[in-house]
Amino acid sequence: MPEESAINIPGAPAGEPPAVVEPTTPRETLPPKPDQQGPEAVSPTGSPTGAPEHSRAQSGQYLTTAQGLRLADTDHSLKAGPRGPILLQDHHLREKITHFDHERIPERVVHARGAGAHGVFRSYGTAANITRAGFLAKDVETPVFVRFSTVLGSRGSADTVRDTRGFSTKFYTDEGTYDLVGNNIPVFFIQDGIKFPDIVHAAKPHPDREIPQAQSAHDTFWDFVSLHTEAQAHTMWNMSDRGIPRSYRTMEGFGVHTFRLVDAEGATTLVKFHWKPKQGVHSLVWEEAQIINGMDPDFHRRDLADAIEAGAYPEWELGIQTFPDTEDQMFEGIDLLDPTKFVPEELAPVQAIGLMTLNANPVNYFAETEQVAFHPGHLVPGIDVTNDPLLQVRLFSYLDTQISRLGGPNFAQIPINRPQAPVNDMLRDGMHQTAVHSGVAPYRPNSLDGGCPFKAGADLGSFVDVPEAVAEAIKQRKNPASFDDHFSQPRLFFRSLTPVEQDHVIQAYTFELGKCYEKPVRERQLLALANIDASLCAAVARGLGLPAPEATEDVPDAQPSPALSQLGKTWPVAGRVVGIVADGSSDLEAVRDARKALDDAGIVPLVIAPAGGTLGGESDGGIPVQRTYLTARSTEFDAVIVAGSGAPADDAEQGLDAKAGDPGASLDPRVVLLLSEAFRHAKAIGAWGSGSAGVDAASIPDDAAGVVRGDTAEQVVPQIQELLAAHRAWERFPAATS
């Protein structure tokens, strides 16, 4: 039926459906899928080529060597007879194996596991009065590439671990490339970049066993942060729900540091950058994250790609907090150069300056997401750095890292990194040089190349360093006294959360410290928690079976910041995923109506049935099945609707699926498990007709918050959509800290 084909269910691996048998008729390579977009087709020196964006892809109907020689066979090595030794002259074998041996480049030391997407940034023009940056002028549209990542895990780790997330954006402006390299947490573990190797070494797997992977629940991490208490602010954020985002699409981003904006007259303003997701800031609950790590370790990257493919384009507003550029660089008693401090939004509101929309997936993960190279020193006129001691070290470290990872100094010529502005840098040669430079005088001044390239004044759009006074001072390894406060901000953060969120923080600390082997490490971290909040310390100590210590410092209280809580608001529902449990007993017309209503709202409806294929006969316009009782799990869905009896499927046996439980049950145990998990995780649940039997079997009370029952789909679906706007039915969680 027409409405079935109109519903876009993401996940198709190729641009057209495959044939059952192997194709044998030569044809051109398939173009990318409609949701995919490669880097802009510019030359190594930034000039538009006019070529189609997929022109760098492999082409031609026939298999060739890297030099274009057509091949008749790539399945057999050249041997001295069918059973003889392989011959050294097999140039195709050597080329193919040599390239395979070098397919991997060194992964990032941190932020190794990531996902990326293309998009566009449109400026509102609201920052044009404080910066001369051209891409921030009114209505200017700038192509972007964004990479999200975890920090601690390797490329092969899981997505939904408790960790900080990277949120880095490359703006391809006409004044050069600008990189905003940030995180989903506005504070960092350390105040000075010289300690970055220490925190990473402490947080990474133990060097003797290389475990645990992608997590901080181990002795070396808590040994470091309990001794180095400036890390307590970041640790508090990480132990909150912010440490396990629901999706990259519902994750806030921060520039972490304080930067300078410079206007056309040279006047400066200090700013902090914020990315605000239009769908709101939402997180997983801890059990949900643990299940996902086993069921679908690619959960976040799949969610991002599927949302873009489905047309539910993620959006973020870029905002800034602004501060006077005073000599002391303080604001309301907060040192703006201390990267372990944030400024509450109630003291400095976030002003929206533009909208970013991610609207295309990469064509090739390695060429784009893996090779994209960010650097906080990639600046444009109108944006400058400050003397934040962490930022200062990053300005050195990132460039050094790219040279190591990407094989030399020419990493900017990799297509995903190419500026979309003219490049004439007089840099020459080096590994992987792909530009063919002309001229004989790559130096200045010269006359042999006609004096080119010429210097540009500020009136011609050049970058001019802010002429900041550098005071005469004694060389020393020391922080300012304002960096000494390590506890007031984590106290502010914890006390700004709702009781439910505070419970999650307590649970996270208790779990992480409970995984530490050494009792002194646990006791030392409790001392830090005592200085943050006595109730937090007492609750964690109780869970660890240890006495709660007394505070050792007199920490000032601060007014709570409601902006720090993720609860209590409603958000757009586009891009959410709803599972519809249906079977042979279902009213298929009602299921069709439910799918269409959800799709019309921008929600992705996935039908869950006893087996794959379709529900109903092909002649009746059968409904396609996206998940089965075997493959579905509650963690994939933001809400679940039951539109069928849930009778046991043919594979409802423990020998076939351990989740199936008792084969004699009247309902399939996996449907009951799906519903009970969804209820436990405070997700919206709906049912009509025979579907109510599944809700009853899961022992879900009729009057529970977020549970909707009715006689028809028209009664249930609109209420489910309304519940989705609040993300979860938080009323189901009785807060222990209230």
Side-chain angles (χ1 to χ4, degrees), residues 223-235:
D223 180 47
F224 178 82
V225 301
S226 61
L227 289 167
H228 212 65
T229 53
E230 69 191 54
Q232 292 295 319
H234 188 117
T235 302

Side-chain angles (χ1 to χ4, degrees), residues 53-394:
E53 65 180 41
H54 62 277
S55 60
R56 288 179 297 271
Q58 305 245 310
S59 61
Q61 300 180 17
Y62 298 99
L63 177 69
T64 73
T65 67
Q67 306 304 317
L69 176 68
R70 288 187 180 181
L71 295 167
D73 190 322
T74 191
D75 298 324
H76 307 92
S77 302
L78 187 65
K79 297 185 284 289
R83 299 174 63 82
I86 294 172
L87 301 179
L88 182 63
Q89 76 176 66
D90 191 346
H91 59 92
H92 173 47
L93 166 69
R94 286 186 286 116
E95 178 187 73
K96 186 175 181 180
I97 291 298
T98 298
H99 194 281
F100 170 76
D101 291 343
H102 294 84
E103 279 184 2
R104 294 295 173 263
I105 63 175
E107 70 174 34
R108 291 164 170 87
V109 177
V110 288
H111 298 278
R113 182 173 180 83
H118 295 272
V120 64
F121 174 79
R122 181 176 61 82
S123 172
Y124 297 158
T126 45
N129 62 325
I130 57 173
T131 179
R132 56 188 287 236
F135 80 99
L136 292 178
K138 185 172 176 56
D139 293 332
V140 172
E141 291 195 352
T142 303
V144 298
F145 186 81
V146 177
R147 186 177 188 271
F148 304 103
S149 57
T150 55
V151 171
L152 297 181
S154 68
R155 274 191 62 188
S157 58
D159 280 349
T160 61
V161 295
R162 182 179 293 282
D163 195 4
T164 306
R165 265 64 179 186
F167 189 137
S168 295
T169 308
K170 187 176 289 291
F171 297 83
Y172 301 97
T173 88
D174 59 9
E175 297 179 300
T177 300
Y178 171 59
D179 288 347
L180 180 53
V181 191
N183 287 334
N184 73 322
I185 291 174
V187 294
F188 205 66
F189 286 107
I190 54 175
Q191 295 168 325
D192 191 310
I194 197 172
K195 290 175 288 193
F196 194 66
D198 299 309
I199 180 57
V200 173
H201 290 164
K204 282 284 190 175
H206 292 198
D208 54 350
R209 301 186 180 187
E210 187 64 13
I211 55 174
Q213 177 64 244
Q215 57 180 293
S216 56
H218 55 89
D219 287 81
T220 58
F221 174 82
W222 288 101
D223 180 47
F224 178 82
V225 301
S226 61
L227 289 167
H228 212 65
T229 53
E230 69 191 54
Q232 292 295 319
H234 188 117
T235 302
M236 178 64 72
W237 281 77
N238 228 24
M239 294 302 105
S240 77
D241 292 341
R242 304 276 184 148
I244 41 175
R246 158 62 180 85
S247 165
Y248 291 136
R249 300 179 290 128
T250 61
M251 189 175 79
E252 208 165 0
F254 303 90
V256 179
H257 308 288
T258 299
F259 293 86
R260 272 195 178 87
L261 297 188
V262 188
D263 69 13
E265 283 70 45
T268 60
T269 303
L270 299 181
V271 301
K272 285 184 175 289
F273 290 106
H274 295 247
W275 288 112
K276 297 284 190 181
K278 296 288 279 184
Q279 284 193 300
V281 184
H282 308 298
S283 297
L284 299 168
V285 295
W286 181 227
E287 185 195 33
E288 211 179 358
Q290 292 173 302
I291 294 171
I292 292 171
N293 281 338
M295 292 289 296
D296 185 6
D298 304 305
F299 183 78
H300 280 155
R301 58 172 63 180
R302 188 191 316 281
D303 172 88
L304 177 67
D306 282 357
I308 292 172
E309 185 179 351
Y313 298 143
E315 292 183 325
W316 290 260
E317 279 193 313
L318 179 62
I320 53 174
Q321 291 177 296
T322 62
F323 318 98
D325 192 357
T326 57
E327 185 176 355
D328 63 1
Q329 296 172 322
M330 301 283 290
F331 182 80
E332 299 288 343
I334 299 169
D335 193 325
L336 297 175
L337 298 190
D338 182 350
T340 67
K341 302 292 193 301
F342 69 95
V343 178
E345 295 182 26
E346 290 76 14
L347 298 179
V350 176
Q351 306 166 55
I353 64 172
L355 179 70
M356 179 173 72
T357 304
L358 299 184
N359 54 21
N361 287 311
V363 173
N364 183 275
Y365 182 91
F366 177 82
E368 300 168 74
T369 307
E370 185 63 15
Q371 290 196 124
V372 67
F374 296 97
H375 177 26
H378 291 164
L379 302 166
V380 291
I383 303 179
D384 204 350
V385 299
T386 61
N387 291 335
D388 174 333
L390 177 61
L391 175 58
Q392 292 284 310
V393 176
R394 291 178 74 198

Side-chain angles (χ1 to χ4, degrees), residues 424-429 437-446 449 452-453:
N424 197 344
D425 54 19
M426 295 193 301
L427 305 176
R428 291 294 185 267
D429 306 338
H437 295 103
S438 61
V440 297
Y443 53 83
R444 286 203 80 261
N446 76 73
D449 280 348
C452 187

